Amino acid sequence: MAVSPEPLPPKKKRSSDSDERLLRSLLLRSRETSLLNPIPFVLYRNSNSIIRKTKLLTLMLEELVVEHVVPCFPASAVLCFEELYIILQSIKTLIEDCCNGSKLWLLIEQQSVANKFHEFTLELSTLVDIFPLKAMNLSEDVEELVNLIRKQCSKTAVWIDENDINLRNDVLRKLDRIKSEIVPQKTKLKEIFTRLQLNDSTSCTEEIEILEEEVRNQSDEKSKAEIVSLIGLVRYAKCVLYGESSPRIIRDRKKSNSTDLTIPADFRCPISLDLVRDPVVVSTGQTYDRASINLWIESGHTTCPKTGQILDHTGMIPNRALRNLITMWCREHRIPFESTETNEKVTGESTNKTLFEATKMTVTFLLEKAGASQSLEMANRFVHELRALAKTDSNSRACIADADGLQLLVKFLSSDHPTLQINAVTTILNLSILDANKTKIMETEGVVNGIVEVLRTGATWEAKGNAAATIFSLTGVPVYRKKLGRKSRVIKGLMELARTGPISSKRDALVAILNLAGDRETVGKLLEVGVVEMASEVMDGLPEEGVTVLEAVVKKGGLAAITAAFHVIRKLATILRDGTERAQESAAATLVNVCRKGGSEIVSELAAIPGIERVIWEVMGMGTGRGRRKAATLLRILRRWAAGLYGNATAAYSTTGASSTTTTRVVLPG
C-alpha cells in the first residue's frame, strides 16, 4: 500500500521585530567602533582609515533604522548584517588591544598588524559589494553612502608609514648594539621613547609589565626571545632616562596596607608563617611556599618540616586550588599578589644575551650615579631603582652583586635619610634571595654588621623588619645560621624587635628566630635572653607564631627550656582550646615535649587545668593530622600520670610503647 509522504514543516519566517533588533545591535557596535581613537604611537594611518570607514557604516545603518520600511529583510541582507557585526567586533578588539598592549611589541609586529587591518578592510569591501541594495528598496541617500563605502574600501592596500618602519629599525639596531655590549646613546634612546609616548618612569614600568605578560602568552620561542630583549631595553632606558624621577612606594614583600590584617591560617606557610605566594605540595601531602621549602631542602633537611616524616623525594606539585583561593582573598583585601612560581619572572630571561647585557649596563649606570650623588635625596632615587631591579630576577641580583653593589649599599645602611636606609637594606634583602649572593653578603666587609645595626637602631620599623628578614634569608644556609647565632647582637636585636615591633616586624623577627632555633648552640643563647618569655608574650597577639617558636626551642633546648616553659603550660592549654588548627598542632607538640622531658611535676600542672581532657579530645577529633596524633600522645601521658606510672622522665619514655594498647575509659568533665 502506498504511503503518502508527510508534508515538510513550514519554514519559520523571520519577524520584523527580530530584524530590527539585529539592525539596532549592529548600529550600536558600529557606533562604539567609530568612536575609538586611532593608535597614537604607531600605525596611526591604518587605524584611522578603518575608523573612518566604520563612521560611514554608522551613517548608513542610522539611515536604515529610520527607513526600515520593508516587513523583514531579505536573507542575503540578514547574512551581511550578521557578518558585519562580527567584523566590527574584531576591528574594535584589534584597536583596543593595540592601544592597551605593549607599544614596543606593536612597533616590532607592525607588518602583521597592518595586514590584519587590510584583511578587515577587504572583508568590509566584500560585504558591501554583495549587499542587496535593490531588494532593500532604499533611498538614494543610503545608496550613495553604500557606494561611497565601496569606493573607500576598494582603494585600500597594505601600507605602513615610513616613519614607523624607521623607528622599528632604530629599536632593532639598539638591541643589536646592546647585545654587542655597546652602550646606546642617550639622545637616540630619548627620541625612540618619546615617539612611543614612554615619557616617564611610570609608563616604562607599565610597559615592562605588559611585555612580561606578553611573554607568558606567547608560544613561539623566537617571539619570546625578542620580547625578553625588549624588556631589557626598557629597564635600561627607564633608569637612564627617568631614573631621577621621584621613587614610587613599592612593597617588596607584598604587605598589606593594613599591617594588622589577619592572614587565614591555611594561607600561611608553616615554615615562614607568611602569606604563601607559590603553594606546592611535597611527598608527605603537606603544602608549603615554594621558596621556603626550597630553602629547607637546600639547607640539608630530608624531612617534612610539619610532620617530621622522611621525604620520599624532593619533587613538588603546584597547589593551584590553594593559589586561586589566596589570589581571591588578596584581591578582596586589596593586597598586591604576585606569584613567584620560578626564580625568574619571565621564561627565557636567564639565557637571553641582550637582556643580560642590558641589565649589566643598567646596574653600572645606577651604581655610578648613586655613588657620585651630591645629596642623599638624589642617591636615594638611584638606590630605589636598584631595589626595584633586585626584585625582578636572578640575573639582576647576580649583576648587582658582581658589580660590587654591596660595597656601595653598606655605606647607606647607616644613613640619616630614613627612606635611603630602607631602600638600601631592602635591596640587600632582595639580593640575598640568590644563594650565591648569600656568601658575598656574609663575606663582604661591613655588610652583616650594617644589617645588624639597622636591626637594632634602624630609623623605621620597616627598615628593622627588612633587616630581620635578611637575617632569616641568610640563616637558610646552616653554616651561616651557626655564625649568626653566635652573635649576641643578632639575638638581642631580633628579640627586641619581636617584643616591641608592630605586627609585620614581629613576624619578620620571629621567622628569623625560628630559623636560628634549628641550631642547639643558638637555642642556648636564645634561652639566656628570655626567648620563652618573649614567645609567651607574643602568643597574646600572634599565637601561631609564638607557639611555633616555643615548640622549636623546647624541642632542642633541653631541661633549661623545659624549666623555663613551666609557667607557660596554662597559656599553651588555652591555645590548645581556642587557637587555630595550626596553633593547636604546635601547642600539642610543645606540651608533649615538655611533659615527656619535664616529668610528673609538669604533667600534674597540665592535669590540674579544668576541662583539659575534653580539649584534648576535641583536638583529636577535629585537628590536623599531626595535631590529632600529638593530642593522642598527650592524652596517654595524662592517663599514665593518673595511674601513677609517670614518676619521672625515664618512666615516661619506657612506657610509651606499651601504652598504645591501653583502653581505659576516661569520664569527661561536664
Side-chain angles (χ1 to χ4, degrees):
M1 183 176 68
V3 179
S4 60
E6 292 186 9
L8 293 173
K11 187 175 181 180
K12 193 173 181 179
K13 294 183 179 179
R14 293 183 57 88
S15 68
S16 177
D17 288 342
S18 63
D19 286 348
E20 186 172 355
R21 284 197 299 271
L22 172 61
L23 186 57
R24 291 189 180 278
S25 297
L26 181 57
L27 175 59
L28 178 61
R29 175 61 68 240
S30 181
R31 281 175 176 167
E32 290 175 349
T33 308
S34 64
L35 290 173
L36 294 173
N37 292 319
I39 306 169
F41 35 83
V42 68
L43 296 174
Y44 174 86
R45 178 170 167 178
N46 306 69
S47 56
N48 191 46
S49 174
I50 205 163
I51 288 172
R52 285 202 312 269
K53 294 175 177 61
T54 61
K55 288 179 179 178
L56 291 174
L57 281 170
T58 303
L59 292 175
M60 182 193 78
L61 293 170
E62 288 173 346
E63 292 293 332
L64 285 175
V65 169
V66 173
E67 296 185 8
H68 186 203
V69 293
V70 293
C72 60
F73 297 134
S76 56
V78 172
L79 180 61
C80 284
F81 288 154
E82 290 172 345
E83 291 296 320
L84 184 57
Y85 187 94
I86 295 172
I87 294 172
L88 288 173
Q89 178 61 45
S90 300
I91 293 170
K92 180 175 181 287
T93 301
L94 177 60
I95 295 174
E96 288 177 340
D97 287 349
C98 290
C99 290
N100 298 327
S102 165
K103 298 173 181 179
L104 273 165
W105 185 235
L106 176 60
L107 181 70
I108 300 299
E109 291 291 287
Q110 58 181 275
Q111 183 64 60
S112 64
V113 178
N115 289 340
K116 287 182 180 178
F117 278 119
H118 181 57
E119 289 170 10
F120 290 145
T121 303
L122 292 178
E123 290 178 14
L124 286 176
S125 177
T126 301
L127 287 176
V128 176
D129 282 341
I130 65 173
F131 187 73
L133 272 177
K134 301 301 182 183
M136 293 287 291
N137 193 25
L138 300 174
S139 66
E140 291 184 3
D141 290 339
V142 176
E143 289 188 8
E144 287 179 4
L145 276 171
V146 173
N147 290 327
L148 179 59
I149 295 170
R150 284 175 177 167
K151 186 177 180 182
Q152 291 284 334
C153 292
S154 63
K155 288 183 176 180
T156 302
V158 179
W159 183 88
I160 302 177
D161 192 317
E162 187 176 351
N163 291 327
D164 292 347
I165 296 173
N166 292 336
L167 185 62
R168 178 181 184 274
N169 292 336
D170 286 343
V171 170
L172 294 176
R173 279 194 292 270
K174 289 288 179 293
L175 294 175
D176 287 340
R177 290 174 69 84
I178 289 174
K179 189 174 182 179
S180 302
E181 303 180 31
I182 301 172
V183 178
Q185 292 182 7
K186 184 175 179 179
T187 53
K188 294 291 186 183
L189 209 56
K190 181 71 172 177
E191 290 176 8
I192 292 173
F193 277 67
T194 300
R195 276 282 310 277
L196 292 172
Q197 299 182 6
L198 298 171
N199 298 316
D200 52 33
S201 179
T202 301
S203 60
C204 287
T205 300
E206 291 172 353
E207 177 73 5
I208 292 170
E209 292 171 353
I210 295 171
L211 285 168
E212 289 174 342
E213 184 64 29
E214 188 66 43
V215 173
R216 289 186 278 270
N217 294 335
Q218 287 285 340
S219 57
D220 179 60
E221 292 301 321
K222 182 180 178 182
S223 296
K224 286 184 178 181
E226 290 175 346
I227 299 170
V228 168
S229 298
L230 292 174
I231 291 172
L233 175 65
V234 182
R235 283 181 185 166
Y236 175 75
K238 171 178 176 282
C239 293
V240 172
L241 301 179
Y242 314 117
E244 298 180 10
S245 59
S246 297
R248 293 186 306 144
I249 297 174
I250 60 175
R251 295 284 181 183
D252 293 72
R253 307 186 58 243
K254 298 101 175 173
K255 294 173 182 171
S256 165
N257 291 333
S258 173
T259 55
D260 293 334
L261 181 65
T262 301
I263 301 172
D266 292 337
F267 293 175
R268 287 193 193 165
C269 175
I271 299 174
S272 68
L273 303 179
D274 210 346
L275 181 67
V276 174
R277 297 286 163 182
D278 183 13
V280 292
V281 181
V282 296
S283 62
T284 59
Q286 300 298 322
T287 296
Y288 300 94
D289 189 57
R290 187 188 295 271
S292 297
I293 192 63
N294 274 337
L295 279 174
W296 173 267
I297 293 171
E298 289 167 4
S299 299
H301 296 94
T302 58
T303 58
C304 173
K306 191 172 177 182
T307 65
Q309 295 174 268
I310 299 294
L311 294 171
D312 294 335
H313 55 81
T314 57
M316 302 173 197
I317 302 171
N319 190 336
R320 301 195 184 279
L322 179 60
R323 184 177 181 277
N324 290 336
L325 290 173
I326 294 173
T327 303
M328 291 170 59
W329 181 83
C330 288
R331 190 180 301 121
E332 289 173 3
H333 292 84
R334 298 182 179 179
I335 299 174
F337 182 82
E338 189 174 296
S339 173
T340 54
E341 290 184 5
T342 63
N343 209 18
E344 300 159 3
K345 287 188 69 175
V346 179
T347 304
E349 285 193 8
S350 61
T351 57
N352 189 283
K353 171 69 171 174
T354 306
L355 174 68
F356 181 69
E357 294 302 330
T359 302
K360 285 172 60 177
M361 293 175 188
T362 305
V363 169
T364 300
F365 171 82
L366 291 174
L367 291 175
E368 288 177 354
K369 288 292 185 179
S373 296
Q374 299 299 312
S375 68
L376 293 179
E377 183 59 39
M378 190 61 68
N380 177 52
R381 292 175 178 176
F382 290 108
V383 175
H384 166 268
E385 293 297 335
L386 279 171
R387 169 183 175 174
L389 187 61
K391 181 185 172 184
T392 55
D393 55 66
S394 298
N395 278 335
S396 300
R397 298 178 192 113
C399 286
I400 294 172
D402 291 343
D404 296 330
L406 288 167
Q407 285 88 333
L408 174 72
L409 293 168
V410 73
K411 296 192 305 182
F412 298 129
L413 291 177
S414 57
S415 171
D416 294 331
H417 192 293
T419 309
L420 177 56
Q421 185 184 70
I422 291 171
N423 283 329
V425 73
T426 309
T427 303
I428 296 174
L429 169 60
N430 291 338
L431 293 179
S432 72
I433 296 172
L434 187 65
D435 287 343
N437 285 347
K438 288 181 171 63
T439 302
K440 293 180 180 179
I441 292 171
M442 293 295 297
E443 294 179 355
T444 301
E445 185 178 356
V447 176
V448 172
N449 288 337
I451 293 168
V452 175
E453 193 59 33
V454 173
L455 172 67
R456 301 196 66 188
T457 64
T460 63
W461 289 118
E462 184 180 357
K464 291 181 177 183
N466 285 348
T470 306
I471 291 171
F472 164 73
S473 178
L474 296 173
T475 54
V477 180
V479 65
Y480 300 150
R481 181 189 308 154
K482 287 182 175 290
K483 190 171 183 178
L484 290 168
R486 295 191 190 103
K487 294 180 178 289
S488 298
R489 293 169 66 241
V490 172
I491 300 294
K492 291 178 180 178
L494 291 172
M495 290 285 290
E496 182 65 22
L497 185 60
R499 279 195 169 105
T500 62
I503 294 294
S504 59
S505 299
K506 283 180 184 287
R507 287 197 176 108
D508 291 324
L510 288 168
V511 294
I513 291 171
L514 186 61
N515 247 15
L516 289 171
D519 177 65
R520 290 186 181 275
E521 183 181 342
T522 304
V523 170
K525 289 183 174 292
L526 288 169
L527 289 168
E528 290 175 8
V529 294
V531 68
V532 173
E533 292 79 3
M534 180 276 294
S536 178
E537 295 171 13
V538 169
M539 283 183 209
D540 294 331
L542 295 170
E544 282 188 34
E545 290 83 347
V547 75
T548 303
V549 168
L550 186 62
E551 179 191 355
V553 170
V554 166
K555 187 175 181 179
K556 294 200 174 184
L559 289 177
I562 303 302
T563 303
F566 182 82
H567 301 292
V568 192
I569 298 296
R570 291 183 176 272
K571 187 168 282 190
L572 287 171
T574 301
I575 291 176
L576 196 63
R577 182 188 65 200
D578 301 328
T580 63
E581 285 187 346
R582 194 156 292 159
Q584 289 176 335
E585 176 186 308
S586 292
T590 305
L591 286 170
V592 167
N593 280 325
V594 169
C595 290
R596 277 178 169 172
K597 298 176 183 179
S600 61
E601 186 178 0
I602 286 182
V603 180
S604 63
E605 178 73 12
L606 179 63
I609 299 172
I612 187 62
E613 287 193 1
R614 176 182 290 277
V615 171
I616 294 173
W617 272 100
E618 288 176 353
V619 176
M620 288 172 61
M622 297 183 293
T624 63
R626 180 173 178 250
R628 291 195 296 270
R629 292 194 300 274
K630 293 296 181 182
T633 302
L634 196 58
L635 185 59
R636 287 198 296 271
I637 290 173
L638 287 175
R639 286 174 173 177
R640 292 187 213 112
W641 173 83
L645 301 175
Y646 220 85
N648 52 55
T650 304
Y653 284 111
S654 64
T655 58
T656 300
S659 65
S660 60
T661 59
T662 302
T663 58
T664 305
R665 188 174 180 82
V666 178
V667 178
L668 298 179

